[in-house]
Amino acid sequence: MFDALKERLDGIFKNLRSKGKLTEEDVALALREVRRALLEADVHYKVVKDLVERIRERAVGRDVLDSITPSQQVVTIVFEELRDLMGRDVVPLVISPKPPTHYMLVGLQGSGKTTSCVKIARRLLKGHKPLVVACDHQRPAAVEQLRVLAAQAKVAFFGPEPGEKDPVGVAERALRFAADRLHDVILFDTAGRLHVDEPLMEELQAMKALLSPHEILLVVDGMTGQEAVNVASAFNERLGLTGVVLTKLDGDARGGSALAIRSVTGVPIKMAGVGEHLEDMEPFDGGRMVQRILG
Ligand code: GDP
């Protein structure tokens, strides 16, 4: 991911680096290019505007322009601001000191929610006894998919009885099932829809009320660009998200969504899906991601 953005920024920085003394005009020109590159990478325009303004304020100070290496300093400022926007550190998934820990995975259909649920559970097998619970009862195929993936990953599975339509009821039974078998992390795969809609949000709020989850993780398709930010905002307003799982980062996503989700919603991106296999999930590292963008 980020290849397009990286290419553009590389060009800008090469120009800057080759200059010794910088003028305010040089900085303005470079920032115009930074702005264009970020917009092309699908970063939300408001995020870009604020970011460029912050960079400008820091970069045109005399201490930068009059320094021995002004262009290097501007490059550093751009790096630092992008890194802050992306989140400086890896933000780990919460494990409650008092088990069981409850995770709710939410998101639109096709975002990679079910796959991510199993991928995260699989990572927890080291040191924990996770259980995945199918709460997407609109689509029997989704229940079956979770069952199959869980079996592949050797993760315990709990699902509805045939014909059972009440996800909150299933979640309640899952809690008893987990208590009997000493599962310490329970991951609830909730229903996804093609669009954010009222019945979906009400169902998710009812589940939240039952579970008091330690994490409400929104799974977002990293390929969806600015739309990802709108989806994240809508879910966050109604549910209060604790983290985002950004999927399909192995594709040629322009990646602007990663930069923007954090700054628009304030919710940290915690995990990154980087492939179709069940082991293709890793903690999201904002600093490393920016390093990769800027080269
Ligand atoms: P859901 O409808 O949100 O539960 O989405 P699924 O978990 O069924 O995923 C939809 C499709 O995206 C499936 O074909 C997954 O294999 C694929 N997928 C999920 N995560 C990733 C990822 O990180 N990388 C790639 N390449 N494909 C992914």
Side-chain angles (χ1 to χ4, degrees):
M1 78 178 287
F2 279 125
D3 285 351
L5 179 56
K6 180 172 166 21
E7 232 166 73
R8 291 296 302 271
L9 292 179
D10 274 353
I12 299 162
F13 290 135
K14 211 154 85 215
N15 280 342
L16 261 189
R17 282 190 188 109
S18 65
K19 300 199 69 154
K21 199 107 189 96
L22 286 188
T23 63
E24 284 194 24
E25 286 71 46
D26 291 329
V27 174
L29 210 65
L31 286 183
R32 206 170 307 147
E33 284 299 313
V34 169
R35 183 173 181 279
R36 201 176 298 157
L38 291 172
L39 286 173
E40 278 177 15
D42 245 350
V43 183
H44 199 276
Y45 74 93
K46 183 147 178 2
V47 175
V48 174
K49 191 164 165 283
D50 293 349
L51 179 74
V52 169
E53 198 40 53
R54 276 202 305 279
I55 297 173
R56 187 195 315 281
E57 271 169 24
R58 288 180 60 189
V60 297
R62 292 258 64 97
D63 49 338
V64 172
L65 294 184
D66 292 345
S67 70
I68 309 169
T69 54
S71 48
Q72 188 51 47
Q73 292 214 26
V74 173
V75 173
T76 304
I77 291 169
V78 173
F79 172 78
E80 286 175 357
E81 290 292 337
L82 280 174
R83 189 190 53 190
D84 282 356
L85 191 65
M86 192 87 88
R88 260 167 200 267
D89 304 308
V90 176
V91 185
L93 294 174
V94 170
I95 295 285
S96 170
K98 225 176 105 219
T101 300
H102 295 166
Y103 295 169
M104 244 174 95
L105 278 90
V106 302
L108 297 184
Q109 207 169 299
S111 60
K113 188 167 45 58
T114 301
T115 315
S116 297
C117 184
V118 175
K119 284 175 169 178
I120 293 172
R122 183 185 168 280
R123 290 177 61 89
L124 289 165
L125 282 172
K126 262 192 219 130
H128 295 279
K129 198 178 169 201
L131 173 72
V132 296
V133 182
C135 293
D136 185 352
H137 304 157
Q138 301 300 319
R139 291 195 311 134
V143 176
E144 203 40 41
Q145 186 195 359
L146 186 66
R147 187 197 310 275
V148 169
L149 290 177
Q152 279 173 18
K154 300 193 166 44
V155 168
F157 166 89
F158 187 89
E161 300 291 340
E164 188 173 11
K165 286 281 177 227
D166 170 24
V168 177
V170 176
E172 269 177 328
R173 287 200 298 114
L175 292 180
R176 288 196 292 276
F177 177 90
D180 287 346
R181 288 164 183 76
L182 301 177
H183 288 290
D184 61 340
V185 186
I186 314 171
L187 300 94
F188 296 87
D189 184 27
T190 64
R193 301 271 192 336
L194 290 174
H195 303 283
V196 177
D197 63 36
E198 194 51 33
L200 170 66
M201 286 302 178
E202 282 174 11
E203 181 178 313
L204 295 175
Q205 282 175 324
M207 288 196 62
K208 178 183 175 182
L210 171 74
L211 299 172
S212 305
H214 302 87
E215 293 274 12
I216 302 182
L217 299 170
L218 176 70
V219 182
V220 184
D221 182 336
M223 306 279 282
T224 52
Q226 296 220 13
E227 185 49 26
V229 181
N230 298 336
V231 170
S233 297
F235 274 86
N236 190 39
E237 266 166 36
R238 293 298 293 272
L239 290 171
L241 301 173
T242 60
V244 168
V245 179
L246 202 57
T247 63
K248 309 186 194 182
L249 296 188
D250 49 309
D252 57 355
R254 283 162 294 175
S257 48
L259 277 169
I261 285 173
R262 173 75 187 240
S263 62
V264 172
T265 64
V267 178
I269 301 171
K270 293 196 168 179
M271 301 296 292
V274 293
E276 291 193 47
H277 297 115
L278 292 176
E279 60 273 23
D280 297 333
M281 169 73 62
E282 52 191 44
F284 180 83
D285 182 333
R288 207 174 72 201
M289 188 70 94
V290 174
Q291 200 88 50
R292 215 160 90 188
I293 301 175
L294 300 183

